[in-house]
Amino acid sequence: MNAMRAYVAVTAAYWAFMLSDGALRMLVLLHFNGLGFSPIQLAYLFLLYEAAGIVTNLAAGWIAARFGLASTLYAGLGLQIAALAALAQLDPGWSVSASVIFVMAVQGASGVAKDLAKMSSKSAVKVLAPEGDGTLFRWVAALTGSKNAVKGLGFFLGAAMLGLAGFQAAIWLMAAVLAVILMAIVLFLPAGLPKGRKGSKISAIWSRDPAINRLSLARMFLFGARDVWFVVGIPVYFQSVLSDGTPDSRRAAFFLIGTFMAVWIIAYGGVQAAAPRLLGARGRPLAAIIHQAVAWAGWLVPIPLALAALVLASGAPAPWLTAMLVAGLLLFGFVFAVNSAVHSYLILAFSKAERVTMDVGFYYMANAAGRLLGTLLSGLSYQLGGLALCLATAGVMALASWVSVARLKPLAMDLR
C-alpha cells in the first residue's frame, strides 16, 4: 500500500512540474518570437535547457543513489520555482543579446530542474512497481503517457496565459502553484522511496552494459528527430502562416499554435499510456518487445521525409499543405509515442535494481543530448532551408535511431 501511495504522490508531483514545463516553453517561444527574434535566436534560448540535461542526468543518477530519490524530486521542484522567479525579472528594455543570455541561463536552470524530477519519477517506477505479468510496462507507460498529456495541456495553458494575462503575470502564477505543490509533497510524501547509499561511487554513472548503451544511442536520435521540427520549425512556420502581424492576429495565432502543440503532446501521451495494449505486451517475453522496438523505429523514418517532399512540391504555404502537415505530424506523433514508450520500458527492463538511478540517468543523458542536437538543428535548418530542411533532417535522425535500435537484435536472440 505504501508503494502505491508513493507512486501516486511521485506521479502527482511530476504532473505539476510538467504542466509548468510545457507552459514555460510556449511562453518563452511565442513571447520572444513576437519580439522579433530570429529562428536561430529562438533555438539559442533552449540550448542551455537541453545541454543542462546531459550533465544533470548523469549527476542526478548518482545523487539519487547517494542521497535518495525524494531528495532529487524536492530539488527539481524547488529549482523550477527559483527559475520562474528569476525569469519574471526579465527587463523589456534589455538588448537582444542580454535578453538571450539571461533567458538561456534561466532555461538552463529549468533544464536541470526538469531532469532531476524526471529521473526521480522514472526510477521510482522500477523500485515501486510490483513484480508481475507486464506490470512494469503498464506502470511506466501510465506515468510517461500521463506526464506528456499534462505537458500538452501546459502548452495550451502557456499560450492562453500569454494572450490573456501577459508574460510576467503568467510566470508568477506558475511559480506560486508549484510552491504549493512542493510544500504538499514535502509534508505528505509517504514512505516507499529508497534511501541513499553511502557507498555509491560517482564513477559508476557510466554504463558498461551494451544493451543500455545501444538503447541510449537510439533514444538520442529518436528525440532529435522530433525536436528538429517541434522546437522552432513548426511553431514559427505556423505563426508566419496564421498571423498577418497585427496584435489581434498574433493573439489568435498564439491560441491556434498552442492548441495544435497541446493536442499533439496530449495525443502522444495518450498513445504512450496505451502502448502496452497496442503492442499486446502482456505476457510477451522481453525478446519479443525488442523486435517490436526495431519494427516501430523503422516505421517512423518515411513520415518526415514524405512531409519534406510535400513542402518542397508545394513551393509556397497553402491551406492544403497546412492540413497535410497537421495530419502527417499527428501520424508521426502516434508512431513516435509507441517508440518512446517501448524505449522507456526497455531501459527499466535492462536496468538492475541496485543501479537503476544511474542507468536511467545515463539513458536520459542521451535523451537530453538528442534534444540538444534537435533544438540546435531546428533553428539552423529552418533558417537555412525552411520547413522542408527541418523535416528532412528529422527523417535522417529517425533513420539513425532505427539503425541504433536494430543493434539490439542479437540481444533478443540471446534471450530466446
Side-chain angles (χ1 to χ4, degrees):
M1 182 61 69
N2 265 353
M4 175 59 78
R5 289 177 59 213
Y7 172 75
V8 170
V10 167
T11 301
Y14 197 30
W15 283 355
F17 185 95
M18 296 314 295
L19 185 68
S20 74
D21 188 67
L24 182 59
R25 178 170 286 267
M26 287 307 291
L27 278 168
V28 169
L29 180 67
L30 295 178
H31 177 68
F32 287 98
N33 187 50
L35 293 179
F37 280 33
S38 70
I40 193 65
Q41 287 171 332
L42 291 173
Y44 285 156
L45 297 179
F46 299 104
L47 283 183
L48 199 54
Y49 173 92
E50 305 299 356
I54 298 174
V55 177
T56 304
N57 278 299
L58 286 174
W62 174 79
I63 292 168
R66 176 66 180 79
F67 298 103
L69 279 174
S71 63
T72 47
L73 182 61
Y74 299 154
L77 288 167
L79 188 55
Q80 180 77 337
I81 294 166
L84 289 167
L87 190 59
Q89 310 308 312
L90 181 69
D91 189 336
W94 291 349
S95 67
V96 169
S97 297
S99 297
V100 168
I101 292 169
F102 179 77
V103 176
M104 279 181 69
V106 174
Q107 286 286 90
S110 181
V112 172
K114 180 200 74 173
D115 287 301
L116 285 169
K118 176 190 283 187
M119 187 282 306
S120 305
S121 304
K122 295 293 179 70
S123 298
V125 176
K126 172 73 173 183
V127 175
L128 298 172
E131 293 187 9
D133 188 16
T135 302
L136 179 60
F137 199 170
R138 291 198 303 275
W139 277 37
V140 73
L143 175 69
T144 306
S146 62
K147 174 268 292 187
N148 283 307
V150 168
K151 185 172 181 177
L153 180 60
F155 273 79
F156 176 76
L157 186 64
M161 287 194 299
L162 182 62
L164 296 174
F167 185 72
Q168 280 197 324
I171 294 291
W172 280 120
L173 178 61
M174 287 194 297
V177 171
L178 271 188
V180 173
I181 296 292
L182 175 57
M183 286 189 289
I185 292 295
V186 170
L187 291 173
F188 301 114
L189 182 67
L193 295 184
K195 308 297 182 185
R197 302 190 309 271
K198 290 185 178 179
S200 299
K201 296 180 179 178
I202 196 166
S203 59
I205 58 179
W206 298 102
S207 173
R208 294 176 177 83
D209 186 330
I212 288 174
N213 291 336
R214 290 168 188 173
L215 181 63
S216 297
L217 187 64
R219 184 76 171 191
M220 181 183 79
F221 287 120
L222 179 69
F223 271 77
R226 184 198 66 174
D227 281 9
V228 76
W229 61 263
F230 188 84
V231 173
V232 172
I234 279 293
V236 171
Y237 173 81
F238 279 168
Q239 190 153 353
S240 70
V241 170
L242 298 171
S243 172
D244 61 11
T246 63
D248 286 345
S249 166
R250 280 201 306 270
R251 192 174 297 112
F254 288 164
F255 279 95
L256 289 171
I257 295 166
T259 298
F260 170 74
M261 304 294 274
V263 167
W264 194 94
I265 291 285
I266 291 168
Y268 158 55
V271 173
Q272 278 186 310
R277 293 193 301 278
L278 291 171
L279 298 176
R282 188 179 184 89
R284 283 204 167 191
L286 181 57
I289 302 296
I290 292 172
H291 280 292
Q292 287 183 311
V294 177
W296 280 89
W299 294 335
L300 187 67
V301 178
I303 300 173
L305 295 177
L307 291 176
L310 276 178
V311 174
L312 283 175
S314 71
W320 70 266
L321 177 62
T322 300
M324 290 298 293
L325 284 170
V326 169
L329 293 173
L330 289 173
L331 177 61
F332 180 99
F334 179 86
V335 181
F336 175 84
V338 176
N339 275 278
S340 179
V342 174
H343 287 192
S344 294
Y345 163 70
L346 288 177
I347 184 59
L348 295 181
F350 291 158
S351 299
K352 294 178 173 58
E354 61 271 15
R355 56 165 291 125
V356 61
T357 61
M358 287 180 278
D359 285 342
V360 170
F362 181 82
Y363 167 80
Y364 280 110
M365 176 275 295
N367 189 106
R371 292 177 61 117
L372 173 64
L373 183 61
T375 297
L376 178 60
L377 290 176
S378 187
L380 190 61
S381 61
Y382 192 88
Q383 192 143 323
L384 292 176
L387 186 60
L389 185 56
C390 269
L391 292 166
T393 305
V396 172
M397 297 189 83
L399 177 62
S401 181
W402 173 73
V403 170
S404 301
V405 81
R407 295 179 65 206
L408 292 172
K409 276 188 172 181
L411 175 63
M413 297 296 290
D414 293 341
L415 291 171
R416 285 182 171 178

